[in-house]
Amino acid sequence: MEASVEQLVYVREDEYTVARMSAEDVPAFVASGRALAGVQPGETVRLAGGWGEHPRHGRHFAVTGCERVVPATVRAIRIYLGSGLVRGIGPRLAHAIVDHFGEATLTVIDTEPERLREVVNIGPARQSQITEAWRDQKAIAELMVVLQGFGISPLLASKIYQVFGTDSGEVLASDPYRLIGRVRGIAFPTADRIALRSGVPESSPQRIEAAVLDRLEAAAAGGGHCYLPLLAVLTQTVELTGQDEDLVRRAVDALAAERRVVVEASPDDAGRTVVFGKEIHSRELALTAHLTRLWKARSTLPVRAFQEDPGLHDDQRAAVTTVLANTVSVLTGGPGCGKSHTVRAIAATVRAAGGTVTLTAPTGKAAKRLSELTGMPAMTVHRMLAHEPDPDSGALFEQTPAQADLIVVDEASMLDLHLATRLTAAVPSGSHLLLVGDDDQLPSIGPGSVLADLLRVEEIARVRLTHVFRQSEGSGIIRAAHLIRAGEVPEPRGGGGFWFEEIDDPEQVAERVVHLATVAIPRKQGVGPEQVQVLCPMRKGATGTAELGRMLQERLNPAAEGRAEHWSGASAFRVGDRVMPIRNNYDKGVFNGETGRITAVVPEERRLEVLIDDGETVTYGFDELDELTHAYAISVHRSQGSEYPFVVAPIVAEAGGVMLRRRLLYTLVTRARSWVVLVGRREALELAVHRLGRRRRTALAHRLTLSLQGWDAPAEGPR
C-alpha cells in the first residue's frame, strides 16, 4: 500500500525505524522495520509487509520493503510540500500552491517552475529557491535508489550529494573510492562494495591503493597515530582486500612515487620502515620547523627575572624563572598543583615589566575556566588565530593576540598536530610560548600527541608541579585522581566528592546513571539537571553515549505536540536539546568541544539555530547535522578542557572494556568540580586503573630532538 510518512517515532543505530503513517481509506497507523531507513516526514512510500501487534504501539505494519514514490493525490502532495522537504515551502505556502495547481502541482514544479509565480507571495527569488531545492531533493532521491541497489544505506545519499553535488552519480559510477575520507560515514568497506558491484577487479591497483590510504586514515582517526609500520600496513591491507602482499607492496611504492604517502625509517631506531599519510607528514615537518624557529630565537621579552612572591611554592618559583628564561617551555602537573596560580604569577610579572600576554585554550569552556582561575582575559586558540586588530575597540593589545610577548596555551594535551602547527606558525620569533597541561590526561582527539612529545625532548625546558595545594581541603576528587595516576584503585566511598556505586548489569547501570543525572543529584544538591554531565568511556552499547543520550533526551526533552523536530540518522533534534559541535567550523566560528542549546527548528527552511554557551547564535542546515551531536551524554574525550559541577559515568567492561584505560579514567574523574559518581562493576574500575594505553605513533619528538641537537648556539645564547 502507499502511505505518507507523518512523523518519525524512533530510529535505532542499526537503522530500525518506527514511523507514524497515513494512507487513503486506512486509519493512521504505525509502521516499523529496517526497510524504512532514511524515510522523512512528508514522503510518500510504497510499503510491503504485514499487519501485526506491537507491545508498545498496538496494531502496526511490519515493513519488509519500502519504495519511495511521487505523491499522487492532493492530500499526499500537500503533506509532502508542507513537511519542509523542499526548502522554501512551509505548510501555509504548500496549501496555497496545491490549492492553485491541484494534482498537477509536482509536474508544474518539475517542468514549468516559472508558473509558481502565479501563487501569491511567490516572487522570482522564492521561485528560484524552490526550483533549486526541488532539483536537489530529486537528485538525492535518485541517489537513494542507486545506493539501495548496492546494498548501501540510503541515509548516505544526502551526505554524498552535499560533497559532490550533481557529480555524485558520476563519482559512484567511475571512482567510488573518492568517497573515502570526504563523506562522513563512508570508509573503505562501503566504497569497495560499490566498486566491486560496478565491476572493478579485486586486484585493481586503484582498489589496493585506496585500501592502503584507508588504513593510514583509520590509524589517524581511530588511534591518533601519525604513521604505521610498513609491516602493519601490508598486513592490514592484505586482510582488508584479500590480495597478495606483493600487490600491496607495489601499491605502497606507487603511492610513494606519486607523493601521496611518505615512506621513511622508523623514528624509534628499531630498524623498521614506516608509512605516513602525506598531509600528516607535512604537518609534522612544519611543526618541527616552527618550534625550532621559536626555540632558537632571541627573546623579545622585556623582563628576565621576577620579584620573589612568598605565596609561591618552590617549584612554582622555578616555573616562573624557567618561562622567563626560555622561549619555548612546558608547565605540567596534576590537579590541585597550582598550574593556574603559577600562570597568573608569570603573566603578572610580564605585564608589570610592560610586556603583553595572551592566555588561550583549545576550547571555549577551557578558556573561560582559565580566565576565572587567573582573573585575566582568555580566548580560544582558534579565535586568537582568527583575530584582527581593531584600534577603535579598546582592545587590550595594539597587535594581534598571537603577537604578544608571552602566549600561554592551557589544556595543551588537547592540541592535535593540525592546531599546534597553525598555532606555532602564527607566533613571531622572539615571543615566549608556554604550553600548560596535564600529560596524564587523554591526548587530543585529532592525530598527534604534541604535549607528551615535547616532554620527551630534553632540550625543551619544562617544570612539573608536584605539590598538591588542595589536599588540605579534603577533596575526594583530588585524592582519587592522584591514586588513579599512581595506579591505585580509589576507595568506593572516597568522600568529599568521589563515589563509586557497584551494579553488575549494564542495562541497570544505564537506568541508574539516568536516574542520578535527572532526579537524584538535582534533588539532593538543589541544582538543575543541566548542572550534571554524563560522561561515557564508549559510544556503543547499553552504557554508551548513543543509548544513554537517547534515554536522557527522552527524560529531559521528549517529543511533544507542537514542538518542531528533525531526524538526522538516528538522532532527533528538538528545540531545547543540549548539543555539541564535533568538528571545527571556521566559517561558523564554532569549534569542537563547545556546547549550546537548540533554540529554533525551521523545517521549511531546513535549518536549526543553536545558542552557543558563549552567547553566539549559529545556524546549521539540515544537511550539516553530522557536525552536531547531542550533549546529554558525551565521550570522555570530548569533555577535555571542560569542568562540570557534577559528573556521572558508567564504568562497565562491555565488549571487553576496550576503551577502559588509566588515562581515560583519570581524565573522567578530573572533569568534576564538586562530585563524580561512577556506576558499574568493581572489576571494570580495577581494569581501568591498571591498564595502560599504548603511546601514539608519532615522530615529532624524534624530529625535534635532531633539529635542536644539531643547532650551534651563538656565544651569547638566544634566550
Side-chain angles (χ1 to χ4, degrees):
M1 78 181 153
E2 288 190 5
S4 295
V5 183
E6 298 281 352
Q7 181 186 14
L8 295 181
V9 177
Y10 176 60
V11 182
R12 215 163 53 193
E13 288 279 305
D14 64 359
E15 299 182 358
Y16 177 84
T17 301
V18 180
R20 288 194 176 91
M21 300 279 192
S22 63
E24 295 288 338
D25 303 323
V26 178
F29 64 96
V30 170
S32 63
R34 293 186 65 186
L36 288 173
V39 298
Q40 290 290 320
E43 288 186 317
T44 297
V45 290
R46 183 176 293 117
L47 303 177
W51 294 101
E53 287 294 320
H54 190 279
R56 180 177 176 183
H57 302 293
R59 187 170 183 265
H60 87 298
F61 194 78
V63 180
T64 57
C66 175
E67 176 188 356
R68 288 166 176 81
V69 296
V70 177
T73 67
V74 168
R75 178 180 178 277
I77 295 170
R78 186 178 287 117
I79 292 173
Y80 175 71
L81 292 182
S83 68
L85 276 171
V86 180
R87 189 191 305 271
I89 302 180
R92 289 186 180 180
L93 190 56
H95 274 76
I97 295 172
V98 176
D99 285 347
H100 188 77
F101 295 111
E103 292 184 355
T105 296
L106 299 185
T107 301
V108 169
I109 296 175
D110 195 31
T111 61
E112 301 176 277
E114 66 281 355
R115 288 191 60 196
L116 287 170
R117 300 184 202 175
E118 298 172 13
V119 180
V120 177
N121 294 327
I122 297 183
R126 177 62 65 88
Q127 181 250 308
S128 177
Q129 180 187 34
I130 294 172
T131 302
E132 182 180 353
W134 173 259
R135 181 200 65 198
D136 291 345
Q137 191 61 29
K138 276 188 64 180
I140 291 171
E142 291 169 1
L143 273 180
M144 285 182 169
V145 174
V146 173
L147 291 176
Q148 285 178 315
F150 289 120
I152 305 297
S153 169
L155 295 175
L156 294 171
S158 60
K159 297 179 181 181
I160 295 172
Y161 190 78
Q162 184 182 356
V163 176
F164 294 103
T166 54
D167 295 331
S168 298
E170 175 62 24
V171 171
L172 286 173
S174 63
D175 189 7
Y177 296 111
R178 286 177 62 192
L179 302 171
I180 302 172
R182 297 192 63 186
V183 179
R184 186 173 174 83
I186 295 184
F188 179 83
T190 299
D192 195 44
R193 185 185 304 175
I194 298 172
L196 293 177
R197 292 194 179 186
S198 300
V200 174
E202 290 187 359
S203 60
S204 162
Q206 175 195 31
R207 178 176 184 252
I208 310 302
E209 290 173 12
V212 170
L213 294 174
D214 177 77
R215 292 300 81 201
L216 293 174
E217 175 62 29
H225 300 298
C226 294
Y227 67 84
L228 281 179
L230 175 60
L231 182 59
V233 173
L234 297 176
T235 301
Q236 292 180 23
T237 307
V238 166
E239 291 177 355
L240 191 61
T241 62
Q243 300 302 298
D244 292 338
E245 185 177 303
D246 287 343
L247 280 178
V248 179
R249 284 185 180 273
R250 288 201 290 271
V252 172
D253 291 341
L255 289 169
E258 297 169 6
R259 298 184 178 180
R260 296 168 68 189
V261 303
V262 176
V263 180
E264 60 185 30
S266 171
D268 59 14
D269 296 324
R272 296 181 300 173
T273 300
V274 300
V275 185
F276 288 81
K278 176 185 175 182
E279 184 178 9
I280 286 182
H281 186 266
S282 297
R283 287 177 180 170
E284 269 203 350
L285 291 179
L287 181 54
T288 300
H290 288 306
L291 285 169
T292 301
R293 169 181 60 82
L294 295 174
W295 186 86
K296 288 180 179 180
R298 188 184 303 278
S299 171
T300 59
L301 206 62
V303 59
R304 294 293 181 272
F306 78 107
Q307 295 181 349
E308 289 294 322
D309 182 345
L312 295 179
H313 192 264
D314 288 347
D315 54 4
Q316 290 179 306
R317 282 193 289 271
V320 178
T321 301
T322 298
V323 173
L324 297 179
N326 294 273
T327 49
V328 179
S329 56
V330 176
L331 175 64
T332 187
C337 290
K339 294 191 296 294
S340 298
H341 185 70
T342 306
V343 168
R344 182 168 56 191
I346 296 169
T349 300
V350 172
R351 286 180 175 172
T356 55
V357 179
T358 297
L359 302 185
T360 72
T363 67
K365 281 193 172 183
K368 182 179 180 181
R369 184 170 167 233
L370 176 63
S371 180
E372 292 171 348
L373 292 172
T374 61
M376 300 178 182
M379 66 181 70
T380 65
V381 175
H382 306 280
R383 297 197 190 283
M384 180 190 77
L385 296 175
H387 182 81
E388 294 294 335
D390 182 359
D392 299 322
S393 67
L396 187 61
F397 315 123
E398 293 182 0
Q399 69 270 43
T400 62
Q403 295 175 336
D405 296 308
L406 170 66
I407 296 166
V408 180
V409 184
D410 197 20
E411 296 287 355
S413 61
M414 299 177 66
L415 288 177
D416 64 11
L417 195 59
H418 175 62
L419 184 56
T421 303
R422 292 185 63 231
L423 167 68
T424 53
V427 178
S429 300
S431 292
H432 285 228
L433 176 64
L434 170 61
L435 301 183
V436 182
D438 186 346
D439 59 315
D440 286 308
Q441 288 189 21
L442 287 170
S444 58
I445 294 177
S449 189
V450 176
L451 180 65
D453 283 348
L454 291 187
L455 288 171
R456 293 168 55 205
V457 179
E458 293 183 3
E459 288 73 17
I460 299 294
R462 85 287 306 273
V463 173
R464 181 181 294 276
L465 303 180
T466 58
H467 180 75
V468 180
F469 291 91
R470 285 186 277 174
Q471 188 72 46
S472 60
E473 299 177 15
S475 170
I477 294 173
I478 301 298
R479 283 199 304 274
H482 284 278
L483 285 171
I484 293 167
R485 186 180 188 180
E488 299 179 33
V489 180
E491 288 297 318
R493 304 292 187 265
F498 179 83
W499 189 272
F500 176 75
E501 187 170 321
E502 189 165 7
I503 299 176
D504 285 345
D505 181 65
E507 293 187 0
Q508 291 181 12
V509 170
E511 289 289 347
R512 181 59 176 163
V513 166
V514 171
H515 180 75
L516 285 166
T518 60
V519 179
I521 292 177
R523 180 188 297 157
K524 184 175 180 61
Q525 300 295 332
V527 298
E530 68 277 0
Q531 298 293 305
V532 186
Q533 181 62 57
V534 173
L535 301 181
C536 303
M538 296 178 291
R539 179 182 173 277
K540 295 184 178 180
T543 59
T545 56
E547 183 60 20
L548 276 174
R550 183 191 65 79
M551 294 170 67
L552 288 162
Q553 184 190 34
E554 287 305 307
R555 296 283 183 90
L556 299 172
N557 194 32
E561 189 72 29
R563 177 183 294 167
E565 68 176 23
H566 176 75
W567 283 83
S568 177
S571 299
F573 291 92
R574 301 175 183 132
V575 172
D577 276 340
R578 291 159 58 186
V579 292
M580 170 184 286
I582 58 175
R583 276 188 278 175
N584 298 332
N585 189 315
Y586 298 98
D587 294 332
K588 297 182 186 297
V590 295
F591 305 103
N592 190 354
E594 294 182 323
T595 54
R597 192 172 295 275
I598 296 176
T599 56
V601 177
V602 190
E604 61 267 29
E605 297 181 19
R606 299 194 63 74
R607 64 176 176 84
L608 55 79
E609 293 181 357
V610 178
L611 178 63
I612 303 296
D613 288 345
D614 66 3
E616 295 289 327
T617 296
V618 180
T619 298
Y620 281 88
F622 286 174
D623 56 358
E624 299 176 304
L625 294 183
D626 60 349
E627 295 185 15
L628 278 183
T629 187
H630 288 93
Y632 294 107
I634 63 176
S635 69
V636 179
H637 242 130
R638 296 201 184 281
S639 73
Q640 285 181 271
S642 299
E643 189 178 71
Y644 311 96
F646 305 94
V647 167
V648 184
I651 302 294
V652 297
E654 285 187 279
V658 292
M659 297 301 295
L660 292 178
R661 298 285 191 276
R662 184 182 299 174
R663 285 180 185 271
L664 182 141
L665 182 62
Y666 176 81
T667 304
L668 188 163
V669 169
T670 55
R671 296 311 88 203
R673 184 164 60 246
S674 298
W675 275 91
V676 57
V677 181
L678 308 181
V679 183
R681 300 192 65 180
R682 175 78 180 186
E683 292 86 348
L685 179 63
E686 293 173 349
L687 176 68
V689 170
H690 296 309
R691 183 189 281 172
L692 299 175
R694 289 182 295 179
R695 196 174 72 196
R696 290 182 171 185
R697 294 184 173 113
T698 69
L700 177 63
H702 174 70
R703 299 187 199 281
L704 196 53
T705 297
L706 292 179
S707 180
L708 300 186
Q709 288 180 347
W711 177 65
D712 293 326
E716 66 274 17
R719 295 177 295 282

